[in-house]
Amino acid sequence: MAANRGDSFAGALSRVWSRGGVLGYYQGLIPWAWIEASTKGAVLLFVASEAEYYAKSFGASDFISGIGGGMAGGVAQAYATMGFCTCMKTVEITQHKIAQAGVKPPSTWATFMDIYRKEGIRGINKGVNAVAIRQTTNWGSRFGLSRLAESGIRKITGKEEGQKLGSMEKILASGLGGGLSAWNQPIEVIRVEMQSKTQDPNRPKNLTVGKTLNYIYSNNGLKGLYRGVTPRIGLGVWQTICMVALGDMAKEAVEKLTGDKVTAKH
């Protein structure tokens, strides 16, 4: 929906289905989404946990520590791996335009090598600054708002500040934080447009974040910048529950198994 801003939700479902049925919904899964997902734990969660811990050690609140940790983790993951992963996923998804013209699109790796030969590292990391802005606002919001929701749940349930929440309370807080974090959908729409292989003679050359914003706004208005926000709310809820609530539960499980306290933990 971010790439085809004239589509309704039902229209977007139909468009994806036409690209291969159920498999159409999994375009870009191997290896790009796998790499992106695995680095959420290897890079994002590690950096976010460290940054959150040190922010707490300097006296920051749960809310501020969560924002700082999430922003640091998001930036680290964006520049480490997410630039080329999101670029290649977008390339694969938007290549159906080539197929519609009656030409068989090249394979994933052929596309990757072609972009690399023509444009080098910058080519396969096209839109990485938009990705970094998206990730830092994504995870700053998701961690920060989840911690804020946790504090609210403690007040409602009569728990003291810092007292552990139950599993369902953690999941509820993370779900709220994840859903509210979709406020930055315009950044995601900009990122998709910057990485899209769709040809448009009216689109400016050498897109920057600012040029892309102006291009989308002039063609689709404010609504165009929020296309696809509904499914992204669902994605935000799911990812935040996995990374924040289940991440905290995983740390507690490691503590019980090893007998050691996890250092980077608020």
Side-chain angles (χ1 to χ4, degrees):
M1 292 178 75
N4 299 281
R5 290 179 291 277
D7 285 0
S8 63
F9 186 67
L13 289 172
S14 177
R15 182 188 292 271
V16 175
W17 183 267
S18 71
R19 295 204 298 261
V22 173
L23 294 179
Y25 293 97
Y26 290 89
Q27 274 187 297
L29 173 65
I30 303 170
W32 315 117
W34 279 3
I35 297 171
E36 179 187 334
S38 62
T39 56
K40 277 188 174 71
V43 179
L44 189 153
L45 190 57
F46 174 77
V47 174
S49 295
E50 288 289 328
E52 188 175 10
Y53 169 77
Y54 283 110
K56 286 288 289 183
S57 72
F58 288 120
S61 66
D62 285 352
F63 177 53
I64 299 300
S65 300
I67 289 175
M71 290 179 72
V75 169
Q77 189 202 14
Y79 284 110
T81 61
M82 276 205 66
F84 72 86
C85 286
T86 57
C87 181
M88 293 309 299
K89 281 199 300 179
T90 305
V91 166
E92 282 202 22
I93 291 168
T94 55
Q95 274 198 142
H96 70 282
K97 297 283 186 182
I98 300 173
Q100 286 177 352
V103 179
K104 184 181 178 182
S107 68
T108 296
W109 289 108
T111 303
F112 179 87
M113 291 309 300
D114 184 55
I115 294 171
Y116 183 76
R117 279 191 296 269
K118 290 179 179 177
E119 304 175 58
I121 294 293
R122 284 191 176 187
I124 59 174
N125 278 283
K126 191 176 291 182
V128 70
N129 290 332
V131 173
I133 296 169
R134 184 195 77 169
Q135 286 300 94
T136 193
T137 52
N138 260 3
W139 290 104
S141 299
R142 288 171 181 177
F143 275 88
L145 293 173
S146 294
R147 299 309 183 205
L148 187 63
E150 288 174 10
S151 296
I153 290 171
R154 287 189 183 96
K155 288 179 182 177
I156 292 170
T157 57
K159 290 185 170 70
E160 294 180 7
E161 190 63 34
Q163 187 175 346
K164 286 185 178 180
L165 297 177
S167 297
M168 292 309 298
E169 291 171 327
K170 276 273 188 189
I171 289 170
L172 174 61
S174 293
L176 289 170
L180 292 171
S181 69
W183 65 267
N184 70 347
Q185 178 66 5
I187 301 167
E188 171 68 354
V189 176
I190 290 168
R191 190 274 303 172
V192 170
E193 186 61 44
M194 288 181 75
Q195 295 175 339
S196 173
K197 280 295 181 184
T198 302
Q199 298 299 317
D200 182 354
N202 298 317
R203 189 165 68 168
K205 302 289 184 183
N206 302 317
L207 285 174
T208 63
V209 172
K211 285 181 182 178
T212 310
L213 172 62
N214 288 331
Y215 169 72
I216 295 168
Y217 185 78
S218 64
N219 282 280
N220 305 100
L222 187 61
K223 283 186 176 181
L225 289 166
Y226 278 92
R227 294 303 293 165
V229 70
T230 302
R232 190 148 176 270
I233 288 171
L235 177 67
V237 169
W238 169 248
Q239 287 190 334
T240 309
I241 288 172
C242 289
M243 296 298 292
V244 181
L246 298 185
D248 287 349
M249 293 177 200
K251 292 173 190 174
E252 291 172 6
V254 169
E255 286 180 349
K256 289 177 181 178
L257 284 171
T258 63
D260 295 327
K261 186 172 180 61
V262 177
T263 305
K265 182 182 177 184
H266 80 289

